[in-house]
Amino acid sequence: RLPAWKLFGNLPLIDFTLTDLKLEQLIELFLSIPFPKSDREAATEAEVEEVDTLDDLLYSSSQIDSTLTEQQQAAPEDSAKKQQPKYLETLQQSINLELAFEISEINFKLKETKAEHFDWILFRISSFGAFLQAKTYDMHLHVYLNRIACEYGLFPDVDSSRLYLISSLNKSSTGNNSNSNNLVDISLVKTDPDSPTLAMLHNNVLVNVDFKLTLIDIVLNLHVAKHMLDFAEQFERR
């Protein structure tokens, strides 16, 4: 039951600070890159292969459903109920890979050189991580985001506190990854079509995605909106 490969890590901080002039240079550099044109034939072939793969999955799923139906009809219900728990107890899946990684904090600060429209704008993401466990028949993936915030630095809020244009409800978060405290929680369970637990544990569902999102506070300040629109217009002209 020990994983064959176990990888885990934590990155405390990623911090970016750019001025509007540096951002303008980066955009000009990106626009100057000659990207190749898309090939329609390659896209058509990829779509055909995707349809064939989906047909194969649906055909395999229908075969599994028919086999399970025949088995359930052949065996009595009482014996099936008695044999199912014993079968699940004897079935053990080996853990091929277990991976866990978290970035404690990501900061992106944009400064204006002349400070006409804003002094700085800070985007902050707290506790962004993922957990992956690959078993013999199943793959479990959990991605979470604890908190996001966008702070405007030219002037404070009406109560003389920091002006947050966007902030999650979990302002007093300590950085843990509990499902009840996270802003975003995405859980994905992918099952092999040939898995013996497809019907008993996963209800014949090959891919199950559970998405949870908590509340986000958005503050609309008319002065900030005017400053940002003026800055975007000047930046686009430049």
Side-chain angles (χ1 to χ4, degrees):
R1 297 186 180 183
L2 294 177
W5 289 91
K6 186 173 184 179
L7 305 175
F8 58 92
N10 179 272
L11 190 60
L13 177 64
I14 297 179
D15 189 86
F16 297 97
T17 301
L18 288 179
T19 61
D20 56 339
L21 298 179
K22 289 292 183 181
L23 182 60
E24 182 180 353
Q25 294 175 0
L26 289 176
I27 294 177
E28 291 178 352
L29 178 62
F30 179 77
L31 295 177
S32 65
I33 300 176
F35 292 98
K37 296 182 179 180
S38 60
D39 191 359
R40 294 184 179 180
E41 295 181 358
T44 305
E45 293 177 359
E47 291 176 359
V48 172
E49 292 178 359
E50 184 178 356
V51 171
D52 293 340
T53 304
L54 180 59
D55 292 340
D56 294 339
L57 290 176
L58 293 175
Y59 178 71
S60 301
S61 178
S62 63
Q63 281 188 333
I64 292 173
D65 294 339
S66 61
T67 304
L68 291 174
T69 305
E70 292 176 359
Q71 292 178 356
Q72 290 176 359
Q73 292 177 356
E77 295 182 358
D78 297 337
S79 60
K81 292 181 180 179
K82 295 180 181 178
Q83 293 176 2
Q84 181 174 337
K86 295 181 180 179
Y87 174 73
L88 293 178
E89 291 177 0
T90 56
L91 177 64
Q92 293 183 2
Q93 299 189 52
S94 61
I95 302 176
N96 300 325
L97 173 64
E98 190 171 281
L99 186 145
F101 187 78
E102 183 183 73
I103 303 176
S104 300
E105 189 170 332
I106 302 175
N107 294 330
F108 176 75
K109 180 181 285 188
L110 179 62
K111 294 183 177 180
E112 190 180 16
T113 306
K114 298 181 180 180
E116 295 179 356
H117 306 93
F118 59 87
D119 188 7
W120 46 264
I121 296 178
L122 176 62
F123 297 93
R124 177 175 296 144
I125 297 176
S126 300
S127 296
F128 173 73
F131 175 79
L132 174 66
Q133 188 179 70
K135 297 183 179 181
T136 306
Y137 300 108
D138 306 330
M139 184 186 72
H140 299 260
L141 175 64
H142 178 215
V143 180
Y144 58 89
L145 172 62
N146 187 258
R147 181 192 174 193
I148 63 172
C150 176
E151 184 179 351
Y152 186 80
L154 184 61
F155 48 80
D157 205 347
V158 292
D159 56 354
S160 300
S161 61
R162 294 182 178 182
L163 178 56
Y164 287 96
L165 303 180
I166 301 175
S167 63
S168 61
L169 187 63
N170 187 21
K171 295 182 179 180
S172 61
S173 173
T174 57
N176 51 32
N177 57 354
S178 174
N179 294 346
S180 60
N181 295 327
N182 290 331
L183 173 65
V184 177
D185 259 298
I186 303 175
S187 298
L188 183 144
V189 179
K190 184 179 179 181
T191 308
D192 193 339
D194 299 328
S195 172
T197 62
L198 180 63
M200 291 177 288
L201 296 182
H202 303 286
N203 296 325
N204 293 326
V205 178
L206 295 177
V207 180
N208 189 353
V209 181
D210 186 13
F211 186 87
K212 297 180 181 178
L213 178 66
T214 58
L215 294 178
I216 299 178
D217 295 332
I218 300 177
V219 176
L220 180 58
N221 188 298
L222 297 181
H223 295 285
V224 175
K226 183 178 183 303
H227 283 299
M228 296 303 298
L229 290 176
D230 293 341
F231 171 76
E233 184 179 356
Q234 292 185 9
F235 189 80
E236 185 179 1
R237 288 201 304 264
R238 287 157 50 186

